[in-house]
Amino acid sequence: MTNDKHVVDIAGILVGAGDVVVQSMTNTDTADAKATAQQIYELYQAGSQLVRITVNNEESAAAVPEIIDRLRASHCEVPVIGDFHYNGHRLLQDYPECAEKLAKYRINPGNVGFGRKRDSQFEQIIEIAKDLNKPVRIGGNWGSLDQKLMAKMMDENAQSIQPLSSGELIEKALIESVLQSAAQAKAFGLPADRIIVSCKVSGVQSLIRIYQQLDQLCRYPLHLGLTEAGMGNKGVIASTAALSVLLQQGIGDTIRVSLTPQPNQSRTEEVKVAQQILQSLERQSFKPEVTACPGCGRTTSIFFQELAQQITEHMERKMPEWRVTHPGVKDMNVAVMGCIVNGPGESKFADIGISLPGTGEEPSAPVFIKGKKTYTLKGEGISHQFIQILNEFVDGEYGADA
């Protein structure tokens, strides 16, 4: 059903069939406007197209206008999403400039309100969103399910001839929670094309099952993400495994990779992983690709590894500038190869490539541009020379006068 969706406007970004938007989230204290704006800007520079911030108290709500103003003063137009729980209805009402400046709201049907207050508080948020023409993501999470709905479904399940397992019941409850809330939002007057839904769980197979069902049950844009994915390789691999299956099936309109950062690690890592998932699936291009061989007994020198790393880091540093001045560079492929076996062939197939000498080979490095051998580099300055050639190639191939 996903491919039959209409194009919708998600926080100022048009999303339709085939388009996927990368989202991230800050981990600063939102009340610290300077630090939060700085982290949003770093995420934007890394390529995040949407950034979500926590708005959990009066101090954070009051800081939102300053955060947005700081970003705009830095020519950063990235849409900022407010994440509201428990008291979102009050904060949006009491801080109208916060409500106005945010591009989108995210609310969780499991904790938007409790008991008799739940519907009225939910309606207050929807009324504000409707009046300001803001999209709303109704995002369920397996760790904070709608307790009233869950209790009702547990009672029904206990009386069933073929009761569901606890995991199956949670999946069903998540889907019903967000779809019921989306229907309620529509009943309160929020247009269907202003509604995004998500169901976050931390299990790969569970996430895949849930979103395959959502894709069949609704036409709302779907936000994908494995919640609490974890730290390091575990978080990267689990997120990649889950999102790749769904994206390959055409499911998903916005994605986030919820990595636990290493101590003192930049928050931008989650953006890079999300981009690499999409780029590896050949769905979208965000930055030049570096093809490098894994190394073997023919490449006992680590020079080609160091050069591949230097090229990758150089292009990452240049991408915020190139994204504006050389937009086509995102499709460029660079090869850094380590010996004569595959080196010349891989280099010829890249837009620009270098084939370094392997163990026992002649100490020279041919450079290929668009399939043609153009230079032969020798000596101690190969790294510097190749980066200079790369920069000249980018200017000539992707610059304004190209």
Side-chain angles (χ1 to χ4, degrees):
M1 183 175 291
T2 306
N3 291 332
D4 192 38
K5 285 194 181 90
H6 298 298
V7 175
V8 295
D9 183 356
I10 298 179
I13 298 176
L14 290 177
V15 175
D19 298 324
V20 181
V21 174
V22 173
Q23 180 175 310
S24 57
M25 186 175 186
T26 60
N27 61 358
T28 55
D29 179 358
T30 306
D32 185 342
K34 183 178 180 181
T36 302
Q38 177 61 34
Q39 191 174 76
I40 293 172
Y41 187 79
E42 290 169 1
L43 291 165
Y44 162 74
Q45 288 286 85
S48 186
Q49 296 161 282
L50 296 169
V51 179
R52 180 159 55 109
I53 63 174
T54 296
V55 186
N56 61 330
N57 52 35
E58 293 188 353
E59 292 77 14
S60 61
V64 167
E66 181 183 347
I67 291 168
I68 305 300
D69 289 345
R70 283 177 174 271
L71 293 171
R72 302 304 177 249
S74 300
H75 307 289
C76 175
E77 299 298 325
V78 67
V80 178
I81 304 162
D83 193 56
F84 295 96
H85 299 273
Y86 310 112
N87 58 357
H89 62 293
R90 181 171 55 80
L91 295 176
L92 287 168
Q93 185 171 336
D94 292 350
Y95 293 86
E97 194 175 0
C98 165
E100 174 63 42
K101 294 258 186 180
L102 290 169
K104 174 183 169 185
Y105 312 146
R106 185 267 176 155
I107 54 177
N108 184 337
N111 55 33
V112 73
F114 303 101
R116 290 176 296 176
K117 293 182 178 180
R118 191 269 182 199
D119 287 351
S120 64
Q121 293 178 185
F122 182 78
E123 183 176 10
Q124 287 178 55
I125 295 173
I126 298 303
E127 285 292 332
I128 292 170
K130 181 181 69 175
D131 291 344
L132 295 175
N133 194 30
K134 303 291 184 181
V136 175
R137 172 157 71 95
I138 297 173
N141 190 298
W142 77 289
S144 52
L145 281 164
D146 184 329
Q147 293 304 305
K148 182 179 179 181
L149 175 64
M150 193 64 188
K152 175 177 177 291
M153 292 181 65
M154 287 176 69
D155 290 341
E156 293 172 350
N157 191 56
Q159 299 172 19
S160 174
I161 298 174
Q162 293 182 313
L164 301 173
S165 68
S166 59
E168 291 170 330
L169 191 62
I170 287 174
E171 292 176 12
K172 185 177 180 181
L174 266 175
I175 293 170
E176 289 198 19
S177 176
V178 298
L179 293 184
Q180 286 181 13
S181 294
Q184 192 175 25
K186 285 174 63 179
F188 290 145
L190 188 66
D193 64 359
R194 302 272 79 191
I195 298 171
I196 302 96
V197 300
S198 67
C199 291
K200 295 290 193 72
V201 292
S202 57
V204 171
Q205 295 296 343
S206 181
L207 190 83
I208 291 169
R209 285 192 297 268
I210 286 171
Y211 276 91
Q212 287 172 336
Q213 292 178 66
L214 278 174
D215 185 58
Q216 294 300 313
L217 293 170
C218 73
R219 299 185 71 217
Y220 302 116
L222 301 178
H223 173 80
L224 305 185
L226 198 68
T227 192
E228 296 112 25
M231 182 179 284
N233 286 340
K234 186 269 182 184
V236 172
I237 293 169
S239 294
T240 302
L243 299 187
S244 294
V245 171
L246 293 168
L247 291 166
Q248 188 67 13
Q249 295 174 2
I251 298 171
D253 301 278
T254 67
I255 65 170
R256 182 190 172 207
V257 175
S258 300
L259 296 180
T260 303
Q262 299 284 349
N264 302 315
Q265 182 188 54
S266 171
R267 190 70 165 180
T268 59
E269 187 65 21
E270 66 177 50
V271 178
K272 296 175 184 178
V273 174
Q275 289 179 329
Q276 194 59 57
I277 291 171
L278 289 169
Q279 191 146 331
S280 295
L281 290 171
E282 299 180 7
R283 291 290 301 273
Q284 291 166 233
S285 294
F286 296 94
K287 60 183 181 180
E289 288 275 16
V290 177
T291 300
C293 64
C296 67
R298 289 176 172 272
T299 58
T300 53
S301 168
I302 64 169
F303 181 69
F304 83 96
Q305 301 165 349
E306 294 172 341
L307 181 57
Q309 182 177 14
Q310 290 169 10
I311 295 300
T312 300
E313 292 174 350
H314 172 74
M315 292 193 299
E316 285 184 355
R317 287 193 299 270
K318 296 289 288 186
M319 272 311 294
E321 172 192 339
W322 282 350
R323 195 177 294 120
V324 176
T325 59
H326 302 71
V329 76
K330 62 184 175 62
D331 298 311
M332 180 176 68
N333 180 267
V334 181
V336 180
M337 303 303 293
C339 80
I340 199 170
V341 173
N342 292 319
E346 290 276 8
S347 298
K348 287 177 183 177
F349 280 111
D351 293 301
I352 178 171
I354 184 170
S355 179
L356 296 163
T359 304
E361 294 176 13
E362 181 184 350
S364 63
V367 174
F368 298 85
I369 296 178
K370 294 290 186 179
K372 295 182 179 180
K373 182 178 176 181
T374 309
Y375 302 95
T376 299
L377 306 182
K378 297 181 179 182
E380 299 296 323
I382 287 179
S383 298
H384 176 74
Q385 293 175 59
F386 184 67
I387 289 175
Q388 186 175 354
I389 292 169
L390 173 67
N391 288 337
E392 291 171 356
F393 174 76
V394 169
D395 286 336
E397 189 73 15
Y398 305 105
D401 297 328

